[in-house]
Structures are given as structure tokens and as C-alpha cells.
Amino acid sequence: MPDLRLILGDQLSRNIASLDSLAAGDVVLLCEVQEEASYVRHHRKKIAFIFSAMRHFAMELEEEGIRVDYIRLDEPGNTGSLTGEVQRALARHRSERVICTHPGEWRVLQDMRAWQDQLGIPVEIRADNRFLSTKEEFAEWARGRKQLRMEYFYREMRRRLGILLEGEQPLGGRWNFDSENRRPPASGLLIPQPHMVEPDAITREVLELVASRFPDNFGELESFHFAVTRKQALAALELFITERLADFGDYQDAMLSGQPWMYHSHISMYLNCGLLDPLECAQAAEQAYLEGRAPLNAVEGFIRQIIGWREFVRGIYWLRMPQYRELNALNATRRLPWFYWDGNTELNCLRQCIAETRQHAYAHHIQRLMVLGNFALLAGIHPDDVNEWFLVVYADAYEWVELPNVTGMSQFADGGYLASKPYAASGSYINRMSDYCRACRYDVKQRTGEDACPFNYLYWDFLERNRSLLAANPRMSMTYRTWERMDERERVDILALARSFLDALE
Ligand code: FAD
Ligand code: DLZ
Ligand code: SF4
């Protein structure tokens, strides 16, 4: 009897655990299902990317001589759910066992765990071998720690993987060069073109399918240029290493109108769906440093994101789910303003970042954290709404990575378990790190008055509103002192402006 080997849309790696020791007659099942395509109303480019990458991956397996059963979304009889499609495939192939890889989301894991009883056959769920730290290793590292700090986890990962080391010590004498990675955008920066792939016949067919089946979802489908095969994703990585990595560090936090890609790598969607492997990305960057093609601050910064942050947030997700999804430490209750969907706002920084997100299903980290996330934090938006938005709009979004970044890093909804202080900032941060304020209807230098930048008064209002939770934090005490030293009249004006702005949001 052939085994049924299930591959999900974000498991498109030839070396994935569920393809290990594949026997000649085994069948590999990939299925496009309505349930996965609509559990949130994903960006249309995200759906197109995943379907096209799935179809290309299936074709490559077939070219190797592997038996593949590929179910298209519009195929007659498609039940619309993973469970239904596994059940149908078991009957079709007379299989008596399912082999899968641990999924990236809690909700899918619950389904998979139920299959054994539901379908009456053994279901083997193999550990996801594409991460550099297992769930168990992370839990062991976290045991007994009240707060988790990425920096300490990262140092252990550097040592364990032997990356950027001189003996046991960090290359260059420091583990972290972040303090050198905060240059504002200089004028006249020459930013290279991103890696772009012309859609082939398979992608074009998928684009038509998505246009007709998901006409009202968020996001544009036009000018789709993502890589959809491993070969293309490797080319995207190579282009980043050659053309952008050297400046990645200096301008990591910089934002410029009309420049969504800056010097970032744009590989998160490839990493997260399995087209690229995290260790190969980190090692490619290390090699560039050793060959003198990129400076240490850039290379260390990039490697930290991949072997540090990416693994760290995944560890937290599996350690703390399902409770983590319920957290709302700051008791934020407001609904997400509609302009997050249509971009119709006078706040230029938000308008730019939302427009780029709609167009590309991408925004870089500082846009997500210090503009889009920061505003939601200051305005007290309910974490459920913020999480839903971030899960919908980015091509790299799966709950294992989206939820800790939103609930933990951006919204401080876990009360400081992941981040030592809230990433809350006034307009002056955005002004320093971008050119957005120059073309804004608001004045970033003003704290009060009808032209004052809303980030300015919302920032102080946020601190005042959350005083009981934040004032004891030693990293916040200077800020509270500045607020308390402010003229009483100004403080009253600031809070009143914030109140009327927030009331108008609703
Ligand atoms: P680069 O800046 O070039 O970084 C290189 C790689 O490092 C990325 O490709 C990514 O794999 C990894 N990385 C960097 N920062 C993080 C991080 N904080 N967490 C995990 N991996 C990281 N990333 C996602 O992959 N999916 C998400 O759904 C997601 N949601 C986010 C939501 C918020 C509110 C914030 C603040 C961050 C979120 N991130 C998410 C992290 C980060 O913003 C993206 O990984 C990054 O912007 C992807 O662009 P890039 O590939 O050009 O990254
Ligand atoms: C995101 C996504 C989408 C849009 N569609 C599918 C699909 O049709 N079939 C599939 O197997 N996977 C899809 N995915 C990815 C899954 O949602 C992902 O595997 C789970 O969220 C677990 O991370
Ligand atoms: Fe954003 Fe304020 Fe700058 Fe306008 S002035 S772009 S609202 S930070």
C-alpha cells in the first residue's frame, strides 16, 4: 500500500521531513483548498504566489519521477478542506497511512492531530526540519526565564551553528552591531532594482484563477514578479548578496517614499514557504563577509534576523500557543480604522506604507514596526484586529511568525515577554528615518494645534493611558520624566487633541 505524503503550501522544500525515505509507489499530495485560501482574506498576491509555487514544486517532483497527486482549487469534487482532500486521496490511492510535516499554525496542527481518529488510519506528524532550533530545544533554553531576550538566544545560535566566530568569540569582538545600523536615508541613494521574474504560463493561469475567485480580497495582482521556484529564489538571494547586502546594515531602518525594497533582501516569503533554507542564506552572507564583499555590520545584522529573530519568534509561538493569541496586556479595545484597508488617510507615512503593502504584499521591517504597528499601538487597536490585518496583507505571513511579531514585538500585548519595552514612537522618529514628513499635511515639529502630527500627541496619550503598566519599567522612566516636566497647559492640550483624534477614528 502506498503511503500518502502530504505537503502544505508553505512546505515546498525537497528536503522536507515528509519526503524522507520516500518509497517508489508513495503518493505526494498537494492541494489547493478554499479553507486555507480563505481562513483570512489573504492579499491576492499572497494566494497567487503560494498556488504558483505549489504548482511549480509539484511539477519538479514529477520530473524526478515521483507520483504526485495535485488538486487544483477549481477541480470538480474538491471538498475545500485539507481534511476532505486527505480523505479523498486515501480512498483514491488505497493508502493506509499519512505522513506529514508539522504545520506552521496551531489551528492546522489541531486538525492534523484529529485525523488519526477521524480517518481511522495512522498519521505520522514529523518535526519540521527546516528550522535551526527545534521546539524542544527552544523550550529547554526558555525554561525558568521570566522574560525572553533574543540577544542571548542569538549568541547561543551563533555558537551552535559556528557562524561569524573566531574560536568561541564573535568575529569583530562584538556579538551585535545594531548601533551602527541606524543611518537615516541619505539623499541620492542608488537603490538597486529588486529581483523580478516574468510570470510564466503556470503563474499567468494562477493569476487568472485568483482574479476570478478572489475579486474582493485586499491587494493588487498587477505586476506580479515574485520568484516561484527554488532556482528563482536562489537567484533572488544571490542578487541580494551581490547588490544590496553591503548597504543592508547602514540603511536597515531607513524609509523612502516610492522605495519599498530599500536594501532589504525580500526573501521572507521564499524562506517561509520552503523555497530557501535559513542556514544557506546565513552562510551566503557570511561568505560575502569573508570574501570582503560586505562589511561586518551588514552581515551580522542580516544573519541576526535569520538565525536570531526568525527562530526566536517561532520558538515563542509554539511555547506559548494557544494562550498567546488571547493576550491583550494593554487592554486595547478600539477597532482597526478602515484606512488600513483602503489607504485613505492624510497621515502620509501610513498612506505610503499601506499603498506599498497593497501593491506588493510587502513592507520592510521598520515600516511594519514603526509606522503601521506603532500607529495601532498608540491608538489602542485591539490585538485581534491588528493580527488579522498583518496576517492578511503580507506574502510572508503565517501565524507562527506574524503573531509573535504583532502581539509581542509591535503591540506589547504580551506585557513584555518578547520585548523589553514597547516600540512606541512619536513623529520625530519617523521624520528622522524617512522622507515621509516632507510631503505630509501635518507638521511633525508640532505637538499641539490642528496641524500637529498625530503621532506626537498620540504618543504622550499612550504613555499616560498606560501609566500603571509602563511607568515602573526602568527603560521608560526617562520618558515619563520628560512628560511630567512638560508645561501643564501643553499636557492638557495634548490629551484633548488625542481624545478628539481617537474619537474621530471611530
Ligand atoms: P530582511 O530585512 O532582509 O531580513 C532578512 C530575513 O530575516 C527576513 O527575510 C526574515 O526571514 C528574517 N526576519 C527579519 N526580522 C524578522 C522578525 N522580526 N521575525 C522573523 N523573521 C525576521 N516576518 C515574516 O516573515 N512574516 C510575517 O508575517 C511578519 N510579520 C511582521 C509583523 C510585524 C508587526 C513586524 C514588526 C514584523 C513582522 N515580520 C514578519 C518580520 C519582518 O518585518 C519581515 O520578516 C521582513 O520585513 C521581511 O522582509 P525581508 O525579507 O526583506 O527582510
Ligand atoms: C496560505 C495558503 C493558501 C493561501 N492556500 C493554501 C492551499 O490551498 N493549500 C495548502 O496546502 N496551503 C495553503 N496555504 C498555506 C497554509 O495556510 C499553511 O500551510 C498553514 O497555514 C500552516 O502554516
Ligand atoms: Fe507621519 Fe506625522 Fe510625519 Fe505626517 S508628519 S508623515 S503623520 S510622522
Side-chain angles (χ1 to χ4, degrees), residues 183-191 251 256 263 435 438:
R183 279 180 72 173
S187 57
L189 276 181
L190 286 175
I191 301 168
Y251 298 111
L256 275 175
Y263 295 97
D435 64 355
R438 276 185 236 157

Side-chain angles (χ1 to χ4, degrees), residues 7-12 30-33 36-37 39 42-58 70 105 202-203 206-207 210 224 226-228 269-270 272-275 391-392 394-398:
I7 300 283
L8 300 177
D10 56 350
Q11 298 183 336
L12 309 178
L30 290 107
C31 37
E32 298 168 7
V33 289
E36 288 310 303
Y39 71 95
H42 304 283
H43 193 300
R44 300 196 303 161
K45 273 204 172 105
K46 177 181 179 186
I47 304 177
F49 165 61
I50 290 166
F51 285 3
S52 178
M54 285 173 75
R55 291 183 185 194
H56 281 91
F57 186 70
Y70 193 96
E105 301 198 351
I202 294 177
T203 302
V206 165
L207 288 168
V210 174
F224 182 96
F226 293 152
V228 289
M269 62 274 219
Y270 310 138
N272 296 352
C273 81
L275 296 181
L391 195 54
V392 165
Y394 294 115
D396 57 24
Y398 303 91

Side-chain angles (χ1 to χ4, degrees), residues 3-6 86 90 96-100 115 119 121-125:
D3 283 337
L4 190 65
R5 312 275 187 146
L6 175 67
V86 167
L90 284 170
E96 289 180 353
R97 187 163 73 136
V98 182
I99 297 177
C100 30
W115 287 346
L119 307 176
I121 38 100
V123 176
E124 188 182 329
I125 305 176

Side-chain angles (χ1 to χ4, degrees), residues 147-150 309 408-409 412 414-423 470 473-476:
Q147 294 179 317
L148 304 184
R149 291 295 164 257
M150 196 287 298
W309 279 112
M409 189 185 298
F412 208 69
D414 66 0
Y417 184 72
L418 184 151
S420 56
K421 76 179 195 91
Y423 282 95
L470 301 180
N473 183 333
R475 297 197 61 199
M476 303 294 290

